Amino acid sequence: MSTTATMGEMANSAVEFYPKRSGSRAEANHSGDFGATVEELRSLMELRGAEAMQKIQESYGDTEALCQRLKSSTTDGLSGNPVDLERRAQAFGQNFIPPKKPKTFLQLVWEALQDVTLIILEIAAIISLGLSFYQPPGEESEACGNVSGGAEDEGEAEAGWIEGAAILLSVICVVLVTAFNDWSKEKQFRGLQSRIELEQRFAVVRNGNVIQIPVAEMVVGDMAQIKYGDLLPADGILIQGNDLKIDESSLTGESDHVRKSVEKDPMLLSGTHVMEGSGRMLVTAVGVNSQSGIIFTLLGAGEGEEEKKEKKGKQPEAAVETNQNKAKKQDGAVAMEMQPLKSAEGGEVEEREKKKANVPKKEKSVLQGKLTKLAVQIGKAGLVMSAITVIILVLYFVIETFVVERRVWLPECTPIYVQYFVKFFIIGVTVLVVAVPEGLPLAVTISLAYSVKKMMKDNNLVRHLDACETMGNATAICSDKTGTLTTNRMTVVQAYVNDQHFREIPDPSQVNPNTLEMIVNAIAINSAYTSKIMPPDIEGGLPKQVGNKTECGLLGFVLDLKRDYAPVREQIPEEKLYKVYTFNSVRKSMSTVVQLPDGNFRLYSKGASEILLKKCSSILGAGGEARSFRPRDRDEMVKKVIEPMACEGLRTICIAYRDLSGEPEPDWDNEAEIVTDLTCITVVGIEDPVRPEVPEAIRKCQRAGITVRMVTGDNINTARAIAAKCGIIQPGDDFLCLEGKDFNRRIRNEKGEIEQERIDKIWPKLRVLARSSPTDKHTLVKGIIDSTVMEQRQVVAVTGDGTNDGPALKKADVGFAMGIAGTDVAKEASDIILTDDNFSSIVKAVMWGRNVYDSISKFLQFQLTVNVVAVIVAFTGACITQDSPLKAVQMLWVNLIMDTFASLALATEPPTEALLLRKPYGRNNPLISLTMMKNILGHGVYQLVIIFTLLFVGEKIFNIDSGRNAPLHSPPSEHYTIIFNTFVLMQLFNEINARKIHGERNVFDGIFSNPIFCSIVLGTFGVQIVIVQFGGKPFSCAPLNMEQWLWCLFVGVGELLWGQVIATVPTSHLKCLKEAGTGPGTDEMTEDELAEDEEEIDHAERELRRGQILWFRGLNRIQTQMEVVSTFKRSGSFQGAVRRRSSVLSQLHDVTNISTPTHVVLSTANASAAPGNAGGESVP
């Protein structure tokens, strides 16, 4: 110990000899008594390779000395004393990047105010306010005609300002509600964020023990253990490493893996991925001082898109964790996520503009694409309607006043006339406000946010919101076997030792002592020292397996043989291992070399039995001595031992060794020469039992129309046995089970290129892909997604845990990473993290996904009914009676119920098991099915009939004054109040109808399981009573008596009865109805048109996202819109029917489009070059 102390003193005194830059003097004091400053370490970490080595030697001597300066130990790490950790955090910073501040409530209010329709309303209201205070001189007012007649009552004329004020008030109300929604959404998201951050832990050595700590708690001087699949959380210097390869592409853009070694290049950077090997590193820079942190701070901690260019894998700790806004890279394209996060990132619009410039488009989430298009279409219709309304009102007034009555426009009458025009304008805008469904994006977000929150309870940690909705459309799931379908608790249950096949673990006395010794050494030394077996947490429980489960199974085998692996490891600690070839998916084996006391070497190897046995040339026989092992013996062994084990669903692992002479020392880099000519010690069968709940979950999937495929690295017999136990394959079915190499042989042509049509022959029947490499998995997923055999494009979910599953997880529509067994790299590439690694959680995700889709459909069905009715009523009412029966303020109230409250009520319906009984909706399935169309039109007709009856003969029925043709500032009439009240009550009852969209009879089914729904319906009803009875002039309401209220209620309840009538009409007879809101059909479009279409949708998207509405983009957009409409029509998605009646015209179009050689592109291996075919339909 004294030596280290003196070393430490030397190191400290050495500090004095290095001249410091004068600037960092204060810094040096601040770094307390550590022998290195933040500045020095930062500049050190900027160097690579030989330069870095040289700098370490010049400044510190070697890494060991640097470690001592930082008062850490290479073997024991830091002491873990809280005071010391605090001091380090003070001196060198903490390991997280401060997040951007969330937007304040006021900022959100300001954003909500930017909504164009609201601005127009505000202006109109202010003009109307100003004019209402203008009193024309009394005597001349006759000359202006009976225009201002009816305002006899002085008090009434005074009250002219109320309408303007009320509009302003209701605008404020809408704004506050919108802002509050955004705010709570953001808050939820931050919560989710911090959850994801806490998920990431890292292994460090403190006080000689390896412990897992949250990444944020790492400090400079920590000794971190790194292994295959880690995402490095801080910068550091390698102290000891085996075969370490790092993917630094996230920082340098260099795609080749970089070899790291203590002698040549020990610099490890945060945000990079460990692709192979293991080792220990001394942490030298954390948080904002690490390489990725520096890049971050330059970018203002998450300024949106730009940092994706610099680095994709960045610091996992930015509190708005950037991998969140890492837009999901897919074939180099970026998904626009439905991220409230975007609002959390701020600078959203600029960022979107930047993005436009430099990012290729990826297919948007299916639902969003459909909704955006629908909203654009409805909005355009609304704009047209409102414009016509205004024009008709103005013309009617002008003709009536100046032509029929032949009046002259007198200057003093101008304010009165202008007041009329303003009133007409307000009516027009109100029609528009009601027509534009700004509630759509809100409903999607609420529904997704709600689902995500609830999915946490079902062990699904959703990282990209739209993944949740895509999951509902899933048609195929490619699952790993180990850990997902099975319990991932490995136990050795059979062994073949000394020419004997033991059906259960042999007694130590039955095994030759030399062989036993070999087995113990081979297993103890040739496995990661991080794998161990700990005593159980609870008395009588199973021992806890820590680390790699297969290795734990083997270590358990050593314990079952009444031996212990710990003393062997103490005798040969990790530092003494001469060379380690770590396990990876290409080798499918792991080997370790140790130097024997006599200077020779011994290599221990373990791995997949059929692979390792090919490299064995001898085997330990009955007496424990080696005898030769020829290919003939091997075939016999495969038949007699390995296949029987595999058919019982066991994984077979072979353990072997080889002695190598020390003179001359072998060339360790030539792996093929070293790991060969082995002597087989034993072959063991490891059992990994199927999780008890999996067969049921798979049955549910199959019932729901989802095909489950198993993709595994195991032997084909093992895989087939497990697949049968899970119910993935049933006897008597027509299915394929292939091995990786067989699969590759079948899908490639003579030149070795993958051909889509060859994949199409295989995948529909393929159920098990065994001995597959990660590339095979990616090929399969890509093949299924790009396939056009089925009428629907397949939506594929994939599970993965290894680093090498990254590409497949990114390619899939939804990637699930394992929360427990998964590596950081896999989690980084995934959309959803399964916190319990359990397949049945995937089924829950499907249920939630379908529920989101249904919630949106429910909301749409409700919203569109209200829209259609309100617009038609306002339009016809205005044209026939020169005044909208529903006043501006009333319309705003209706808009509030419709949009905001209804989206809350209908988007939070909990899912039911019944959702799993139907087939998935396809990608191109219309959003509004025939049944929904029938409901919308049916209820629309009912409501219109009632309202028009009330409007034109209501005064006779109720025996009250007519409210039609009322002069400018007349008091509110009971007549129009009844219309308004009836309208709102019909909406309320129709909201209950909207809970079911598949034509079910019982609309009350499960209504009490959704308290939000009940409270919103009752709350709205309460407010409605208050508005009608006490709303008075601002709401243009006159109080109603009991009888009138009962009639209104009666008509409202009629909605429920009418709903039953509609449900009786069979949908199949209504072929005339068109389905609306099909997905963006990206077929048969040329690329530039596609880009334009996408851009259009993107504009709409951006506008709608902020509740903005596209349609005020001004005349300069109208041209684009016309082109886009024709493009939509051509793409066949504008109306489901256009494609089916492909008239001569569209055929002409198709011909012109096909001249862009889309087929050709598709048939080459790289289909991503044809975004025109991203929709996955074939070009007709």
Side-chain angles (χ1 to χ4, degrees), residues 774-841:
T775 354
D776 296 340
K777 193 173 189 175
H778 180 254
T779 311
L780 176 66
V781 171
K782 186 174 183 319
I784 297 181
I785 289 181
D786 294 345
S787 169
T788 50
V789 233
M790 304 291 185
E791 66 280 7
Q792 291 291 5
R793 141 128 151 65
Q794 297 278 309
V795 177
V796 185
V798 170
T799 67
D801 51 7
T803 306
N804 39 30
D805 289 331
L809 287 170
K810 280 186 182 163
K811 178 70 196 158
D813 294 286
V814 183
F816 285 92
M818 301 297 141
I820 304 166
T823 56
D824 297 342
V825 182
K827 290 180 187 170
E828 185 72 7
S830 68
D831 304 299
I832 298 182
I833 296 174
L834 292 178
T835 47
D836 63 346
D837 288 16
N838 192 337
F839 185 83
S840 55
S841 304

Side-chain angles (χ1 to χ4, degrees), residues 202-205 208-212 223-230 240 242 277-281 523-534 544-553 555 565-566 569 572-575 577 580 582-583 590 592 606:
F202 213 82
V204 295
V205 181
N209 298 324
V210 180
I211 55 168
Q212 294 276 343
M223 199 48 65
Q225 290 213 325
I226 56 177
K227 59 179 189 315
Y228 152 85
D230 283 343
Q240 175 260 322
N242 316 316
S278 59
R280 286 217 308 276
M281 78 168 183
I523 292 177
I525 295 170
N526 184 30
S527 57
Y529 279 32
T530 46
S531 303
K532 12 184 191 305
I533 295 199
M534 311 288 262
K544 218 164 65 187
Q545 298 187 338
V546 181
N548 180 312
K549 302 295 187 206
T550 312
E551 293 183 342
C552 289
L555 294 171
Y565 61 88
R569 284 183 174 182
I572 305 183
E574 210 167 353
E575 294 75 63
L577 300 180
V580 178
T582 47
F583 180 88
M590 169 180 179
T592 303
K606 68 166 191 289

Side-chain angles (χ1 to χ4, degrees), residues 303-323:
E303 241 315 301
E305 274 320 295
E306 302 309 302
E307 79 253 39
K308 312 257 192 337
K309 307 294 168 287
E310 255 84 43
K311 63 194 286 307
K312 193 172 91 232
K314 351 188 217 274
Q315 191 72 348
E317 215 21 70
V320 178
E321 185 177 353
T322 354
N323 61 24

Side-chain angles (χ1 to χ4, degrees), residues 673-687:
E673 285 296 299
I674 299 221
V675 187
T676 180
D677 199 15
L678 306 173
T679 305
C680 170
I681 309 174
T682 175
V683 172
V684 294
I686 297 187
E687 180 183 45

Side-chain angles (χ1 to χ4, degrees), residues 284-541:
T284 52
V286 293
V288 282
N289 297 312
S290 65
Q291 289 304 299
S292 43
I294 293 170
I295 291 179
F296 254 102
T297 30
L298 289 177
L299 295 160
E303 241 315 301
E305 274 320 295
E306 302 309 302
E307 79 253 39
K308 312 257 192 337
K309 307 294 168 287
E310 255 84 43
K311 63 194 286 307
K312 193 172 91 232
K314 351 188 217 274
Q315 191 72 348
E317 215 21 70
V320 178
E321 185 177 353
T322 354
N323 61 24
Q324 267 308 50
N325 81 355
K326 107 178 182 254
K328 192 167 151 209
K329 289 257 186 293
Q330 252 177 3
D331 294 346
V334 175
M336 240 338 303
E337 280 141 7
M338 173 104 208
Q339 297 280 58
L341 174 90
K342 280 289 178 251
S343 55
E345 287 304 292
E348 167 192 21
V349 180
E350 303 80 62
E351 162 197 319
R352 213 53 88 56
E353 292 300 341
K354 279 188 229 161
K355 177 187 282 181
K356 265 226 180 53
N358 51 22
V359 178
K361 293 276 186 324
K362 174 228 162 207
E363 244 178 72
K364 262 212 302 298
S365 125
V366 191
L367 189 58
Q368 257 176 287
K370 290 181 183 177
L371 279 181
T372 310
K373 273 188 52 185
L374 200 65
V376 172
Q377 290 169 3
I378 296 175
K380 285 180 185 163
L383 184 60
V384 172
M385 290 290 271
S386 63
I388 296 176
T389 312
V390 174
I391 293 167
I392 289 181
L393 285 172
V394 171
L395 284 177
Y396 194 100
F397 173 76
V398 170
I399 292 170
E400 176 71 25
T401 312
F402 299 121
V403 181
V404 181
E405 301 184 5
R406 308 226 166 123
R407 293 181 183 280
V408 193
W409 183 302
L410 300 171
E412 58 271 23
C413 297
T414 307
I416 294 177
Y417 295 145
V418 172
Q419 221 166 331
Y420 263 99
F421 290 137
V422 170
K423 177 180 156 189
F424 297 152
F425 185 66
I426 290 180
I427 292 174
V429 175
T430 324
V431 173
L432 181 66
V433 171
V434 176
V436 171
E438 60 269 41
L440 277 186
L442 186 72
V444 182
T445 317
I446 289 179
S447 180
L448 287 173
Y450 169 78
S451 306
V452 166
K453 207 165 153 188
K454 292 281 192 234
M455 281 167 81
M456 300 275 259
K457 294 196 179 71
D458 285 339
N459 303 309
N460 283 301
L461 183 59
V462 180
R463 294 186 50 229
H464 298 120
L465 276 184
D466 53 2
C468 163
E469 155 245 320
T470 316
M471 206 46 221
N473 284 334
T475 53
I477 298 177
C478 296
S479 171
D480 278 355
K481 174 178 81 68
T482 312
T484 316
L485 299 173
T486 58
T487 53
N488 204 10
R489 192 185 165 80
M490 310 279 186
T491 36
V492 174
V493 289
Q494 297 190 16
Y496 179 84
V497 194
N498 299 139
D499 291 343
Q500 261 185 294
H501 186 167
F502 295 97
R503 291 240 153 231
E504 56 252 3
I505 304 274
D507 192 75
S509 59
Q510 296 172 282
V511 182
N512 177 295
N514 291 350
T515 314
L516 189 58
E517 201 49 47
M518 281 306 260
I519 292 177
V520 174
N521 282 336
I523 292 177
I525 295 170
N526 184 30
S527 57
Y529 279 32
T530 46
S531 303
K532 12 184 191 305
I533 295 199
M534 311 288 262
D537 287 341
I538 30 177
E539 277 301 303

Side-chain angles (χ1 to χ4, degrees), residues 846-864:
V846 172
M847 211 156 82
W848 276 107
R850 293 188 169 189
N851 191 49
V852 168
Y853 209 91
D854 279 8
S855 298
I856 302 302
S857 297
K858 289 171 190 172
F859 173 66
L860 258 179
Q861 177 175 309
F862 173 68
Q863 161 104 40
L864 292 180

Side-chain angles (χ1 to χ4, degrees), residues 126-138 140-141 144 148 151 154 156-161 409-419 968-969:
I126 290 168
I127 297 176
S128 137
L129 258 179
L131 289 171
S132 66
F133 290 121
Y134 175 81
Q135 274 291 298
E140 277 115 53
S141 70
C144 306
S148 56
E154 266 309 286
E156 285 307 333
E158 295 302 289
W161 59 274
W409 183 302
L410 300 171
E412 58 271 23
C413 297
T414 307
I416 294 177
Y417 295 145
V418 172
Q419 221 166 331
L968 200 54
H969 294 303

